[in-house]
């Protein structure tokens, strides 16, 4: 066994002959070469995917995630080797350098409260957790407190009394519904402000998985191992949350609220969960064929209606955030957040807008096909609904789809993943501080983060930066540059 260290490249060799392994650290990669492994003799590992490296007693151990092929999912890779006494100092130095590069100003061995919903989406979450996610957390030496949920709102009940100093993050392996439970559990906690500063990290296993897609991007969200890495190495990213008030009660929403066609295709397709995300497409087609109107009165606390300006603002904010995020080596974003760091208050933020408030509100009274409001660009892998959404602009994106033809709605399907419907003349898109809805009927669906609520009058307002997620980028991951020619 030998260890070689240079100024630009660090190399470590373990074993001899057919049992030899060589590790080379250069740039943002670790090259792993193993002579004895005929099926996977060479692996290039991004430093982001190095989970652990260390010398314990006389054994060196490396755990990382890598791809056998460019298009294959990440797989766990382990390298171990015995180390003689005379080489221990050099090997320990290599391990320390590798861990410092793999965890730049990041905490190691996070303490994770993990919720897994075995019934989410196609119903494969429990098996995927045991087979894929659990070994990754174990390899990173995370301290995991695991709960498999067995009934509705169980996660919310647990979070309401969660000992906040015991965990660094809450990991949710489910669809978006269980995340809704967690945030509402934080709201009901004895110290809600402190609770909301605990980052939430999703691992997609539901039908929509919007939050995971927005944090990881369309491609990486397909690989749940990447989501596990985000839980291990993501940095706290503040996000806006919403208060939805209805019938004297207050609820927290983190993603979306919908009425009409969109709510119908979401809540009306629960019996098609076995289809995964395809159930939404089936629901959309069925809803367009039925072509039912959405009879509501919508009032908006308006900020911006210029779609081109919103697009420019999105790109500018994203560029600034990512530059700052990537350049940070030490900051409050990189360190565990402390209780009371942002506010001395232990209560939820007060509501700003009463039903009697009318200044700055605009009423939209044209016939609608649907209302869709929320935070985060993607609402599913197939629909880029809010392409100019920003995590902490203090605003909610409100899309009102004016009544149009079946043909126009079917055409919108083709470009939904690209966000083409954003530019439809009949899709009225607003940035707002708040909005309120008065339905003219109680028959129909109201979807809040994919959960069913009574179709009754309600109001939504924004709380800037109230929530916290884990992110490896500091911004939503999407590609939305298309701008039609201005008239």
């Amino acid at each position: 066994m030998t260890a070689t260290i240079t100024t630009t490249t660090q190399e470590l060799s373990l074993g001899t002959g057919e049992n030899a392994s060589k590790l080379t650290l250069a740039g943002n990669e670790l090259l792993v070469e193993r002579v004895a492994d005929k099926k996977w003799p060479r692996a290039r590992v991004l430093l982001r995917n190095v989970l652990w490296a260390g010398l314990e007693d006389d054994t060196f151990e490396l755990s990382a995630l890598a791809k056998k092929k460019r298009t294959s999912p990440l797989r766990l890779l382990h390298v171990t080797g015995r180390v003689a006494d005379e080489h221990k100092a050099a090997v320990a130095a290599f391990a320390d350098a590798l861990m410092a590069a793999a965890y730049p100003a990041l905490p190691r061995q996070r303490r994770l409260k993990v919720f897994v919903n075995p019934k989410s989406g196609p119903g494969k979450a429990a098996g995927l957790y045991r087979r894929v996610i659990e070994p990754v957390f174990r390899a990173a030496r995370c301290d995991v407190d695991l709960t498999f949920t067995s009934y509705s709102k169980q996660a919310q009940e647990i979070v309401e009394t969660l000992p906040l100093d015991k965990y660094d993050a809450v990991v949710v392996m489910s669809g978006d519904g269980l995340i809704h439970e967690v945030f509402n559990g934080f709201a009901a906690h004895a110290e809600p402000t402190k609770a909301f500063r605990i980052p939430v990290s999703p691992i997609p296993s539901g039908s929509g998985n919007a939050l995971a897609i927005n944090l990881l991007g369309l491609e990486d969200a397909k690989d749940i191992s990447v989501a596990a890495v985000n839980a291990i190495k993501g940095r706290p990213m503040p996000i806006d949350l919403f208060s939805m008030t209805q019938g004297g009660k207050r609820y927290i929403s983190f993603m979306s609220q919908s009425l009409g066609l969109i709510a119908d295709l979401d809540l009306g397709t629960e019996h098609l969960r076995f289809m995964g995300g395809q159930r939404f497409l089936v629901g959309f087609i069925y809803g367009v064929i039925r072509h039912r109107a959405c009879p509501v009165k919508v009032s908006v606390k308006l900020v911006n209606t210029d779609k081109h300006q919103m697009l420019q603002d999105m790109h500018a904010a994203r560029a600034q955030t990512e530059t700052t995020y990537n350049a940070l080596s030490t900051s409050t974003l990189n360190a565990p957040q402390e209780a009371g760091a942002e506010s001395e208050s232990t209560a939820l933020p007060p509501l700003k807008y009463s039903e009697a408030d009318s200044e700055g509100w605009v009423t939209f009274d044209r016939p609608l096909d649907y209302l869709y409001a929320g935070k985060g660009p993607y609402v599913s892998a197939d629909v880029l609904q809010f392409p100019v959404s920003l995590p902490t602009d203090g605003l909610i994106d409100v899309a009102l789809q004016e009544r149009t033809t079946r043909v126009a709605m079917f055409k919108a399907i083709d470009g939904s993943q690209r966000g083409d419907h954003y530019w439809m003349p009949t899709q009225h898109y607003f940035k707002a501080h708040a909005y309120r809805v008065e339905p003219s009927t109680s028959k129909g669906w109201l979807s809040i983060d994919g959960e069913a609520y009574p179709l009754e009058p309600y109001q939504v307002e924004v709380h800037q930066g109230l929530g916290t997620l884990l992110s490896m980028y500091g911004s939503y991951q999407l590609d939305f540059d298309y701008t039609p020619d201005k008239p």
Side-chain angles (χ1 to χ4, degrees):
M1 173 271 156
T2 61
T4 305
I5 300 179
T6 68
T7 56
T8 58
T9 303
Q10 295 184 343
E11 296 181 355
L12 175 66
S13 297
L14 299 170
T16 59
E18 291 187 356
N19 294 321
S21 298
K22 182 180 178 181
L23 309 179
T24 304
L25 174 59
N28 67 341
E29 286 188 333
L30 176 71
L31 176 62
V32 180
E33 300 173 271
R34 299 176 295 173
V35 177
D37 193 331
K38 304 302 181 183
K39 293 184 177 180
W40 202 4
R42 290 170 58 89
R44 289 191 176 275
V45 181
L46 292 176
L47 291 181
R48 184 185 79 177
N49 295 330
V50 173
L51 304 174
W52 191 262
L55 178 65
E56 187 171 347
D57 296 329
D58 61 351
T59 301
F60 170 83
E61 182 174 351
L62 166 74
S63 295
L65 288 161
K67 295 183 177 183
K68 273 193 171 184
K69 299 179 181 178
R70 186 177 61 86
T71 57
S72 62
L74 291 171
R75 290 182 54 184
L76 266 176
L77 177 153
H78 298 287
V79 176
T80 59
R82 299 291 292 275
V83 181
D85 289 342
E86 62 269 26
H87 298 301
K88 285 183 178 180
V91 172
F94 178 88
D96 289 344
L98 179 55
M99 285 293 282
Y103 286 84
L106 285 169
R108 305 170 189 177
Q109 297 177 271
R110 274 182 170 154
R111 304 165 300 164
L112 304 176
K113 175 59 193 176
V114 179
F115 292 102
V116 179
N117 180 4
K119 296 181 180 180
S120 62
K124 299 179 180 180
L128 287 171
Y129 179 82
R130 292 298 191 193
R131 188 169 66 253
V132 180
I133 303 302
E134 188 173 57
V136 174
F137 287 161
R138 187 185 305 120
R141 310 297 199 272
C142 292
D143 182 0
V144 174
D145 179 3
L146 174 65
T147 298
F148 287 98
T149 60
S150 57
Y151 57 89
S152 176
K153 296 193 176 179
Q154 181 182 3
Q156 181 171 331
E157 293 173 0
I158 294 173
V159 169
E160 286 177 4
T161 58
L162 201 69
L164 302 180
D165 295 330
K166 187 178 177 181
Y167 303 104
D168 299 312
V170 173
V171 179
V172 181
M173 187 167 183
S174 178
D176 296 307
L178 207 64
I179 301 168
H180 178 82
E181 286 192 25
V182 168
F183 280 127
N184 278 277
F186 284 162
H189 197 279
E191 299 179 273
T193 304
K194 183 178 178 181
F196 276 118
R197 289 200 294 271
I198 294 183
V200 175
S201 189
I203 296 179
S205 65
S207 299
N209 306 311
L211 185 58
I213 293 170
N214 289 327
L215 291 174
L216 305 175
L218 278 172
E219 289 305 313
D220 278 349
K222 297 175 183 177
D223 188 348
I224 58 174
S225 292
V226 178
V229 173
N230 185 60
I232 296 166
K233 296 193 177 187
R235 302 182 192 275
M237 181 181 87
I239 59 161
D240 300 339
L241 295 177
F242 313 121
S243 274
M244 191 278 275
T245 52
Q246 183 184 64
K249 296 182 179 180
R250 182 179 183 181
Y251 309 93
I252 296 296
S253 171
F254 76 97
M255 183 178 68
S256 66
Q257 310 91 44
S258 64
L259 292 162
L261 172 62
I262 301 301
D264 292 346
L265 70 87
D266 183 0
L267 300 174
T269 60
E270 287 287 325
H271 62 292
L272 300 177
R273 280 188 172 273
F274 67 92
M275 297 179 65
Q278 288 299 310
R279 72 182 176 96
F280 299 123
L281 177 60
V282 172
F284 184 85
I285 293 172
Y286 179 66
V288 171
I289 292 173
R290 294 177 70 192
H291 205 224
R292 294 174 59 180
C294 177
V296 296
K297 176 183 176 183
V298 183
S299 300
V300 183
K301 183 79 171 179
L302 205 54
V303 175
N304 195 355
T305 62
D306 186 333
K307 293 183 179 180
H308 293 89
Q309 185 62 54
M310 285 186 268
L311 178 60
Q312 293 174 19
D313 292 345
M314 183 271 288
H315 282 297
R318 182 179 175 187
Q320 181 178 2
T321 299
E322 290 187 349
T323 298
T324 304
Y325 211 77
N326 293 335
L328 288 172
S329 57
T330 57
S331 79
T332 55
L333 280 176
N334 300 329
Q337 294 177 314
E338 297 178 355
E342 296 179 10
S343 172
E344 296 181 358
S345 173
T346 59
L348 283 174
L351 297 173
K352 297 180 180 179
Y353 306 107
S354 68
E355 293 183 3
D357 179 33
S358 60
E359 184 177 354
W361 290 78
V362 175
T363 298
F364 190 93
D365 55 5
R366 301 181 191 177
L368 298 178
D369 280 324
Y370 63 79
L371 173 151
Y372 215 163
K375 176 73 64 174
Y378 287 97
V379 294
S380 72
D382 298 317
V383 182
L384 179 57
Q385 179 60 48
F386 306 113
V388 295
S389 178
L390 291 167
T392 53
D393 60 358
L395 304 173
I396 185 168
D397 292 32
V398 181
L400 302 179
Q401 178 55 54
E402 188 177 343
R403 197 92 165 116
T404 188
T405 65
R406 291 184 177 91
V407 173
M409 295 300 290
F410 276 125
K411 285 183 178 179
I413 296 177
D414 289 338
S416 61
Q417 192 179 61
R418 300 188 302 268
D420 289 0
H421 48 273
Y422 175 78
W423 300 110
M424 290 173 62
T426 55
Q427 180 141 133
H428 303 274
Y429 198 104
F430 310 128
K431 289 278 187 177
H433 288 302
Y435 76 96
R436 61 174 68 109
V437 171
E438 299 174 58
S440 61
T441 177
S442 60
K443 295 181 179 179
W445 299 103
L446 167 59
S447 175
I448 308 294
D449 298 342
E451 301 298 301
Y453 281 73
L455 185 53
E456 299 171 356
Y458 72 93
Q459 180 169 302
V460 172
E461 67 175 71
V462 186
H463 304 299
Q464 188 169 19
L466 177 61
T468 312
L469 302 174
L470 287 177
S471 168
M472 295 184 285
Y473 308 103
S475 63
Y476 294 135
Q477 298 303 291
L478 76 157
D479 182 14
F480 186 68
D481 293 317
Y482 167 71
T483 306
D485 294 334
K486 293 186 179 181

